[in-house]
Amino acid sequence: MEDDRKSVPAQGEGSGLEFKLHPLVIINISDHFTRCSLNVKENGRVLGCLLGEQTGRIVHITNTFEMRLEGENEEAKVDRNFLSAKKEQYKTVFPDLEVVGWYRTGGEVREVEDLRTHAVIGEVNESPVFLLMDSKIKEGSRDLPISLYETELRVSSASGGAPSPHFVGAKYTVDSLEAERIAVDQVARIVPSGKTSTTDQLTSHMTGMQNAVKMLRDRIAVILETVKAMRDGKIPTDHGLLREVSSLARRLPVGTSKVDHELGADYDDTLMMAYLSVMTKGNAKMHEVINKMNATLTLASRLTTGGGCSDPKAYDVITGGLM
């Protein structure tokens, strides 16, 4: 019985549409599965809707939202009221986006269950697309664990000779806009602890610089040891290699007065920035103390001249002994 419910869709002609899958869709589906992985049973379903827009024969799949199921068993159905409300909410914020299909996590297509869900989405879009993401990591695979499917009518013996919908594979390409590339790059820079502070980014940058300098020193040490070995006669002299080393050394402006001047200017600029920072902090503290003293003296003056306080001890407490 289980084998009847699972099948591998064949490649068909499809609708001839060109699908463009954007990175935000992949990130959203992965995040949805990660959040629900502790609550979803093994081989459970994590479903959602695909949002996008169609321009001619090109369909851009740009965003997603999650769907709610009614029931807890495998026969659970899509909550139509929740789907309709969520669609209207997204339509208000993103008027150009339409529901173009739906997604699910899992390893294989389940014809009965998936066609039932596909029919519900078909009430919103007459020709939706089905995205299946394999949540299991396959070693050695370089392709995205994502498959895209459309439906087409076929005559089969199981349907009694009447045409029935079947899933067929569809081709897609990954596309991204400039803003999406920046966002994905930022996500890739997040450290494993999940922190994205400036300190963590600076630490990562400095670590990379340290590794690069260390690698450069190791390579220079190898060249130096090779040249010394040639000089001492331990290895045969390679004049071609010596010419390359000499040419490389001549291109390095090490020890010249120009380099010394530039290094000195950078050092002076760094010291100047440090001095200005210390002076700015000192001025801020000084202004804070002056403002407090002015406020205290003003209050003390009002109390003594206006008759608001005739007790000398209270006056000393207010002024803090400044007078």
Side-chain angles (χ1 to χ4, degrees):
M1 182 66 181
E2 185 70 9
D3 294 337
D4 295 338
R5 298 173 59 194
K6 296 182 179 180
S7 63
V8 178
Q11 292 291 337
E13 296 181 358
S15 60
L17 297 176
E18 181 181 357
F19 295 97
K20 301 285 187 179
L21 187 63
H22 288 248
L24 182 60
V25 176
I26 304 175
I27 295 175
N28 286 348
I29 299 175
S30 301
D31 177 69
H32 185 192
F33 176 78
T34 301
R35 287 186 285 104
C36 298
S37 58
L38 298 178
N39 300 324
V40 175
K41 300 179 181 179
E42 186 178 359
N43 298 326
R45 297 189 298 170
V46 175
L47 291 83
C49 273
L50 301 175
L51 297 176
E53 54 183 343
Q54 180 174 349
T55 304
R57 306 296 295 176
I58 301 177
V59 179
H60 288 272
I61 306 175
T62 58
N63 206 344
T64 66
F65 67 82
E66 302 170 11
M67 288 194 295
R68 181 185 299 171
L69 296 177
E70 295 178 334
E72 300 294 337
N73 53 19
E74 294 184 354
E75 301 299 328
K77 300 180 180 179
V78 176
D79 189 342
R80 285 180 166 82
N81 295 330
F82 179 82
L83 173 61
S84 178
K86 203 72 173 178
K87 173 180 174 295
E88 294 301 325
Q89 292 174 359
Y90 268 85
K91 191 65 177 177
T92 303
V93 181
F94 305 102
D96 295 333
L97 297 184
E98 299 285 350
V99 175
V100 296
W102 64 289
Y103 69 84
R104 178 177 69 82
T105 58
E108 297 177 322
V109 174
R110 297 173 177 266
E111 284 285 346
V112 178
E113 298 177 7
D114 291 338
L115 284 175
R116 185 189 305 122
T117 305
H118 202 79
V120 175
I121 306 301
E123 299 174 1
V124 181
N125 187 321
E126 61 180 8
S127 57
V129 63
F130 170 39
L131 187 149
L132 179 65
M133 173 180 282
D134 191 353
S135 56
K136 296 182 180 179
I137 300 177
K138 297 180 180 179
E139 297 183 0
S141 177
R142 294 181 175 271
D143 298 329
L144 287 175
I146 294 177
S147 301
L148 216 60
Y149 302 102
E150 297 179 279
T151 54
E152 65 179 15
L153 295 177
R154 291 181 179 178
V155 178
S156 61
S157 58
S159 60
S164 59
H166 293 271
F167 286 113
V168 293
K171 296 181 180 181
Y172 69 91
T173 56
V174 178
D175 192 12
S176 62
L177 303 176
E178 183 66 24
E180 291 175 322
R181 285 192 288 269
I182 296 174
V184 172
D185 181 68
Q186 179 65 21
V187 172
R189 292 175 182 271
I190 297 178
V191 295
S193 60
K195 299 178 181 178
T196 58
S197 63
T198 306
T199 304
D200 296 321
Q201 294 181 5
L202 178 61
T203 302
S204 177
H205 174 70
M206 295 303 295
T207 302
M209 293 291 292
Q210 181 184 10
N211 294 335
V213 172
K214 184 179 179 181
M215 183 181 297
L216 178 61
R217 291 187 60 183
D218 294 340
R219 294 184 178 183
I220 293 176
V222 172
I223 295 175
L224 182 60
E225 292 295 330
T226 303
V227 174
K228 287 182 178 180
M230 290 182 183
R231 183 194 60 184
D232 298 338
K234 297 180 180 179
I235 59 176
T237 302
D238 188 345
H239 296 283
L241 179 60
L242 291 177
R243 284 192 295 269
E244 292 181 2
V245 173
S246 177
S247 175
L248 179 62
R250 291 177 182 277
R251 284 184 289 177
L252 299 176
V254 179
T256 62
S257 58
K258 182 179 179 181
V259 174
D260 293 339
H261 176 73
E262 292 179 355
L263 291 177
D266 292 340
Y267 179 72
D268 293 339
D269 292 341
T270 303
L271 290 180
M272 181 63 68
M273 292 296 294
Y275 294 153
L276 290 176
S277 176
V278 173
M279 292 175 61
T280 302
K281 292 180 179 179
N283 289 334
K285 293 292 184 181
M286 185 181 297
H287 281 292
E288 184 178 353
V289 173
I290 292 174
N291 292 333
K292 291 181 179 179
M293 291 180 62
N294 290 336
T296 304
L297 293 176
T298 301
L299 178 59
S301 177
R302 291 178 180 177
L303 293 176
T304 55
T305 59
C309 180
S310 59
D311 188 356
K313 293 183 179 181
Y315 175 75
D316 291 337
V317 172
I318 295 173
T319 58
L322 295 176
M323 300 300 292

